[in-house]
Amino acid sequence: MTWSSGMAPPRTPPQARCCATPFLAWVRGYRISKVSFRLNGRKLKTVSVADWRGRYGVMVRPGRLSKGRHVVAARIEFLEDSKLKQRTVRLRFSKCA
C-alpha cells in the first residue's frame, strides 16, 4: 500500500505485532475534514478536530478484544475545496494472550 505525500499512515507502538496495552491509532494530513475510525467493521469514533500535534486519532484497547488478529480502518474525508477523494487506511494488529 502506498501513502500520498502529506498523509501519514495510522501509527501504533513498536511492539504492535502483538499488543495487550492500549494505544493511539492516528492519522495526520492536510485538508482533512473528518476521520471515521472502525474496529473490525464496527464504528468506534468520528474525529473532526486534530489534537495539538495535528493528529486525528482514537484509543484502541486490546484488553477488551478477543485473542487474534484485528483491523482498525480510518476513513479520511477531505475538505470539499481540496477536490481529493476520501481514502481508507488500515492498521492490522494482533492481541496477545
Side-chain angles (χ1 to χ4, degrees), residues 15-86:
Q15 72 279 11
R17 292 183 183 172
C18 184
C19 56
T21 59
F23 63 90
L24 181 70
W26 57 271
V27 294
R28 179 187 293 157
Y30 301 103
R31 317 285 297 164
I32 293 177
S33 171
K34 63 182 175 179
V35 181
S36 300
F37 290 92
R38 293 183 177 270
L39 176 62
N40 299 328
R42 291 188 171 193
K43 190 170 185 178
L44 283 178
K45 188 176 183 180
T46 299
V47 182
S48 58
V49 178
D51 66 4
W52 66 279
R53 291 182 177 170
R55 303 177 301 184
Y56 297 82
V58 64
M59 284 298 294
V60 178
R61 294 176 175 80
R64 298 181 178 182
L65 302 173
S66 62
K67 188 176 175 181
R69 296 181 71 186
H70 301 280
V71 178
V72 177
R75 182 174 162 214
I76 305 166
E77 295 183 30
F78 297 95
L79 296 172
E80 288 183 26
D81 61 346
S82 68
K83 298 182 181 176
L84 294 170
K85 294 181 181 178
Q86 55 190 355

